[in-house]
Amino acid sequence: MKYLLLKHYRGGRPALNDVPMTELTPAEWDAHIQYMADMEKRLAASGELVSSEGLSMDGVWVRYDGEGKPPVVEGPFAETKDLIAGWMLIDVDSEERALALASELSAAPAAGGRPLGEWLEMRPVMESAPSTPVFE
């Protein structure tokens, strides 16, 4: 089963290590990135990693306008405190395994080398179209 793990930074839910990522030292930032790279390598070797990317803080909101010139709004977020900083798409045997990997990813080091303890959004990937309307 595939699961998407979305990394959110400095959102409405505090992390255990509640130091803003912008306040990490270069060495702390390097350790954080290395932790995730090591996890990616291990999951790639086990066949559980589908893809993983970090996202730039730059971005825009775009939508179809029906007239050929889509409106663009500066982003990457408009009315939220959350910043989606990246994702990891995994393909695992069970939800329990996905939860264990999400917890491990949440433990990437931050200030002082302590685990960040960030909240991750974990969502199963749809394998087929839903048989009933998703939204009513």
Side-chain angles (χ1 to χ4, degrees):
M1 225 179 145
K2 290 182 184 171
Y3 289 89
L4 179 65
L5 307 178
L6 287 173
K7 295 178 62 63
H8 293 259
Y9 286 140
R10 294 295 300 166
R13 297 179 177 156
L16 290 177
N17 190 336
D18 203 22
V19 175
M21 296 300 282
T22 55
E23 294 180 18
L24 296 185
T25 66
E28 290 169 336
W29 184 249
D30 289 346
H32 182 82
I33 297 299
Q34 188 62 53
Y35 179 96
M36 290 184 292
D38 291 345
M39 186 173 177
E40 288 173 4
K41 287 178 191 171
R42 195 180 76 251
L43 294 177
S46 72
E48 294 175 303
L49 181 68
V50 176
S51 71
S52 180
E53 294 290 341
L55 298 174
S56 167
M57 291 183 163
D58 299 322
V60 296
W61 287 88
V62 182
R63 71 170 174 84
Y64 173 73
D65 72 346
E67 298 181 20
K69 185 172 184 201
V72 176
V73 178
E74 293 300 317
F77 50 93
E79 297 179 13
T80 181
K81 295 178 183 178
D82 284 344
L83 169 66
I84 297 175
W87 79 85
M88 184 176 283
L89 183 60
I90 57 175
D91 191 354
V92 294
D93 292 333
S94 67
E95 180 180 21
E96 291 76 23
R97 176 67 175 151
L99 288 168
L101 292 174
S103 177
E104 184 178 341
L105 185 59
S106 173
R114 296 182 317 271
L116 179 58
E118 66 185 324
W119 284 95
L120 294 176
E121 183 177 348
M122 185 178 102
R123 299 184 58 188
V125 174
M126 278 197 294
E127 295 179 2
S128 61
S131 58
T132 58
V134 177
F135 302 103
E136 295 188 25

